[in-house]
Amino acid sequence: MRGNNPFQGGRGVGFGGGFSGLAGPVPKDLWILLGIIFGTFTLQFFQSTTWLPDFLRLTPSVWRSGFLWQLVTYPFIGMGAPDFWFVLELLILFLFGRSVLDRLGRRGFWKLLLSAAVVAGIVAALTGLLVDVVTGQGPPPPQTLILMQGQRMVLTILIAAFATLNQHATILLFFVLPIQARWFLFLEVLFAFLGFLGTHDLAGFVGLCVAVAFTYGALTGWRTQVWARRARLRLQQLWLRLKMKWLRKRSGIRVVRDDDDPPGPWLH
């Protein structure tokens, strides 16, 4: 996968199964990422600084008021309650982030993280705009875009990247159940759907699915484009055949027999 892939760096050394190869000093970039998420997470609990995380998170103001900077800033604004689950999310982010950073290098790591988050944010915003058009613009539901905020989006991208780069590595799901990393791509979509059932956050659910798909496509050289190109060519071929058949019937001239035409007397 190294070749012409723009997301691949120069330090691509796999570590076999799980996280057994994560020895040595922690990359500075990972400390910066964790520090920003933890710092912005802390700001929301002080009355004098709570405005800043609210200003930078992804909200309906993107399509309603033109707050386009939120498409870039939202994955770095930590969210949630100050409890064990937030600490666990940071721990999982550290484990997957260190592996992906080692595989992609600094430039590839940040390029993938930013591009996947921005693309997912744009699609989520367009989904929210479509919902506004269909239902009529009103006060946004309190849980709009909650599924893809902050470290949740970063985790989604990093886990998808790890699953793509180390498809046959074994990870302990919930630290108990061994599972091959490639299945985490489907598990992420499943967990996002379960979150959607609980929040009805359609835009957030779509954003998470786009992040997984974009990450996989970017790291595999967009192999899915080959399938899409073939499907498009087949549709064009079908359309031309139907169009030619319609023109022959309209003109009443039957010079060349079509494969779908029944045998005519001119064949005898």
Side-chain angles (χ1 to χ4, degrees), residues 235-246:
L235 289 175
Q236 290 176 350
Q237 184 182 28
L238 177 61
W239 164 248
L240 290 175
R241 289 183 62 185
L242 292 174
K243 184 176 181 180
M244 292 298 296
K245 188 174 182 179
W246 177 77

Side-chain angles (χ1 to χ4, degrees), residues 123-170:
V123 176
L126 292 176
T127 303
L129 175 60
L130 180 61
V131 172
D132 273 1
V133 171
V134 173
T135 62
Q137 181 172 335
Q143 300 196 86
T144 299
L145 299 171
I146 193 172
L147 292 177
M148 57 184 296
Q149 295 291 349
Q151 72 275 6
R152 296 175 182 175
M153 174 54 69
V154 177
L155 272 174
T156 297
I157 297 170
L158 293 180
I159 293 175
F162 180 90
T164 303
L165 294 169
N166 306 276
Q167 297 188 21
H168 300 291
T170 300

Side-chain angles (χ1 to χ4, degrees), residues 160-221:
F162 180 90
T164 303
L165 294 169
N166 306 276
Q167 297 188 21
H168 300 291
T170 300
I171 302 176
L172 295 179
L173 181 62
F174 303 123
F175 302 101
V176 176
L177 181 64
I179 186 173
Q180 281 194 331
R182 59 181 176 175
W183 293 108
F184 272 68
L185 295 168
F186 303 99
L187 287 175
E188 284 193 302
V189 176
L190 174 61
F191 291 152
F193 180 71
L194 294 177
F196 165 71
L197 295 179
T199 62
H200 294 171
D201 179 13
L202 178 61
F205 169 67
V206 172
L208 290 178
C209 292
V210 170
V212 173
F214 181 93
T215 302
Y216 176 81
L219 294 177
T220 56

Side-chain angles (χ1 to χ4, degrees), residues 41 80-92 151 175:
F41 168 80
D83 54 20
F84 168 77
W85 295 110
F86 177 75
V87 176
L88 181 61
E89 285 178 330
L90 292 187
L91 173 61
I92 297 174
Q151 72 275 6
F175 302 101

Side-chain angles (χ1 to χ4, degrees), residues 227-239:
W227 177 89
R229 189 179 300 111
R230 291 177 180 174
R232 184 171 63 252
L233 290 174
R234 289 176 181 175
L235 289 175
Q236 290 176 350
Q237 184 182 28
L238 177 61
W239 164 248

Side-chain angles (χ1 to χ4, degrees), residues 97-108:
R98 187 171 182 181
S99 172
V100 174
L101 182 57
D102 184 69
R103 290 293 302 271
L104 300 182
R106 172 182 294 178
R107 182 176 180 181

